[in-house]
Amino acid sequence: MSNFRIGLGEDTHRLEPGGPLRLGGVDVPHDRQAVGHSDADVLLHAVTDALLGAAGLPDIGELFPNTDPANRGRDSKDFLAEAHRRVQQEGYRLVNLDCVIAAQRPKLFPYKDAMRHAIAGVLGVSVGKIGIKAKTGESVGPVGREESIDARCVALIETAE
C-alpha cells in the first residue's frame, strides 16, 4: 500500500532591469532579472517548498533564511538538492512535479525542456516526472506589468519501499 503526500509551493520575486532571468536552473536571456537574496530562481524556490511541504518539513525560509549571509547569491539548486535529501531521509521518493510559471515576458516555451532537464538532474529522476507550464499575466497585475514573476508547484511524493 502506497502512502502518497502532496505539497504545494509558490514564490514571487520582483523584477528589475538587467538579466539574464534565472528560472528552473537555466539562464533565460531577458532584459529583466529577478531580485532576491539568493539567485532568485522563483521556480526552484516553489519546487523546493512543494517537496518540503509534502514531507511535512520546514519551509525554504526556515531552512535557508535570507538573514544568513551564506545564502546571499546562492544557487537555488543547492536548496533543492538539500530539500530532496531531507525528503528522502524521511522515507519518501518523488512521484512527480507539476509547475506553472507566470511571466509576461519572455516567452518561456523554448526553455521549458532545459528547465525540466535541470530540475530532473538535481533530483536524480527522469525528465518525465517534471511538468512545467508557462503562462502570461495577460497584461494584468504585477506579473502583467512585468513588475514580478510567480511560480507554483505541486509535488506528489510516496513512501519509498
Side-chain angles (χ1 to χ4, degrees):
M1 184 159 119
S2 293
N3 179 19
F4 291 102
R5 296 181 59 127
I6 298 172
L8 172 64
E10 62 180 294
D11 197 28
T12 301
H13 281 277
R14 272 183 307 111
L15 293 174
E16 68 178 23
L21 180 61
R22 171 67 62 97
L23 284 173
V26 174
D27 285 336
V28 175
H30 191 42
D31 61 355
R32 301 188 68 74
Q33 63 188 4
V35 178
H37 187 72
S38 65
D39 65 1
D41 189 324
V42 70
L43 178 56
L44 291 188
H45 294 178
V47 172
T48 299
D49 260 348
L51 285 172
L52 291 168
L57 295 168
D59 67 24
I60 192 171
E62 290 179 67
L63 295 179
F64 310 104
N66 63 7
T67 55
D68 184 346
N71 294 325
R72 163 105 17 237
R74 192 166 172 191
D75 189 332
S76 294
K77 287 180 187 176
D78 294 345
F79 302 154
L80 180 56
E82 176 60 17
H84 187 238
R85 185 191 70 73
R86 289 176 183 231
V87 167
Q88 290 177 311
Q89 188 175 8
E90 291 295 313
Y92 296 101
R93 69 173 167 234
L94 178 67
V95 175
N96 76 300
L97 300 173
D98 188 24
C99 308
V100 178
I101 306 165
Q104 189 63 34
R105 289 184 317 118
K107 293 292 185 192
L108 297 175
F109 175 77
Y111 307 98
K112 290 188 328 182
D113 197 49
M115 290 180 216
R116 291 176 64 227
H117 277 85
I119 293 168
V122 171
L123 300 176
V125 300
S126 69
V127 175
K129 292 184 178 232
I130 314 299
I132 297 177
K133 297 178 283 294
K135 306 293 181 187
T136 69
E138 296 293 331
S139 300
V140 175
V143 169
R145 292 188 301 269
E146 298 182 59
E147 297 169 2
S148 67
I149 184 166
D150 298 341
R152 289 170 185 75
C153 179
V154 175
L156 178 63
I157 61 174
E158 68 178 341
T159 305
E161 296 176 9

